[in-house]
Amino acid sequence: MAIVVVPYDPDWPRLFIEVRAELEPVLSDLAPVFHHVGSTSVPGLAAKPKIDLHAAFTEQQALPVAIERIKGLPVYTFHGDKYNDQSWAFTSGKGSYGARLYLCTSDNAVLRDRIIFRDYLRAHRERADAYAALKLRLMGEANDDWSYYTGGKTDFVRETLRRARSI
């Protein structure tokens, strides 16, 4: 699959709300809190046109129920917990954009880091601009090698999290 990073789209916050609205009736009795994360959640940031969101549950026992319910939706593809980080991933395509949904508990470390990273980029425009430049450079260099693209962002993300935690 081609790696495509596009300029910020002001429709992304609305698309998050639409995806959340589609999921809320399926999960409402489990009381998830939805979080818009990833580059589409940072105003002005170039991103892959995929809305990243977490549905976080207070109760651990809600997760297996939520996973089975989302698996039952034909628009979502289940990817499991491929990094063993207690965050179960699903993807869907929606024309010119898609969604990547993660199900986890509210205290999940991946969710915590994604929120810290998002909030730091929202508050530090120069860091968000540097991240956009890195992603665009990696897209050009990666030749559709997702490992190269993702791996090329690792040091930047770690440094940004370090900066955010030192405030």
Side-chain angles (χ1 to χ4, degrees):
M1 179 191 333
I3 299 169
V4 177
V5 176
V6 299
Y8 180 76
D9 184 338
D11 279 339
W12 287 337
R14 179 186 57 77
L15 293 173
F16 163 73
I17 291 167
E18 286 179 11
V19 172
R20 183 184 67 197
E22 292 169 358
L23 294 166
E24 283 175 330
V26 177
L27 302 172
S28 64
D29 63 314
L30 303 173
V33 175
F34 290 92
H35 300 274
H36 187 189
V37 296
S39 295
T40 63
S41 70
V42 179
L45 183 57
K48 297 182 304 295
K50 191 162 287 271
I51 306 300
D52 289 327
L53 70 155
H54 277 259
F57 301 89
T58 304
E59 302 297 327
Q60 175 71 36
Q61 63 268 23
L63 272 173
V65 176
I67 291 165
E68 288 307 311
R69 287 183 187 174
I70 302 301
K71 278 180 164 179
L73 299 176
V75 298
Y76 282 93
T77 300
F78 182 54
H79 300 281
D81 180 15
K82 73 188 227 186
Y83 300 111
N84 283 331
D85 55 14
Q86 302 300 298
S87 183
W88 286 264
F90 295 81
T91 55
S92 72
K94 301 242 182 201
S96 63
Y97 78 97
R100 183 178 318 275
L101 168 66
Y102 300 94
L103 303 180
C104 64
T105 56
S106 302
D107 62 351
N108 182 274
V110 172
L111 171 60
R112 180 196 65 233
D113 286 351
R114 287 180 177 154
I115 290 171
I116 291 169
F117 186 75
R118 175 200 67 197
D119 291 351
Y120 190 86
L121 292 184
R122 284 178 174 175
H124 297 86
R125 182 81 249 154
E126 73 289 344
R127 193 71 181 163
D129 290 344
Y131 190 46
L134 172 64
K135 292 191 310 172
L136 290 166
R137 180 177 61 77
L138 289 170
M139 178 184 69
E141 294 172 357
N143 197 25
D144 295 333
D145 178 342
W146 283 94
S147 295
Y148 180 89
Y149 176 79
T150 303
K153 298 186 300 181
T154 300
D155 288 344
F156 184 94
V157 171
R158 283 185 184 141
E159 174 59 19
T160 302
L161 288 170
R162 187 197 64 72
R163 290 179 184 198
R165 288 183 178 115
S166 70
I167 295 176

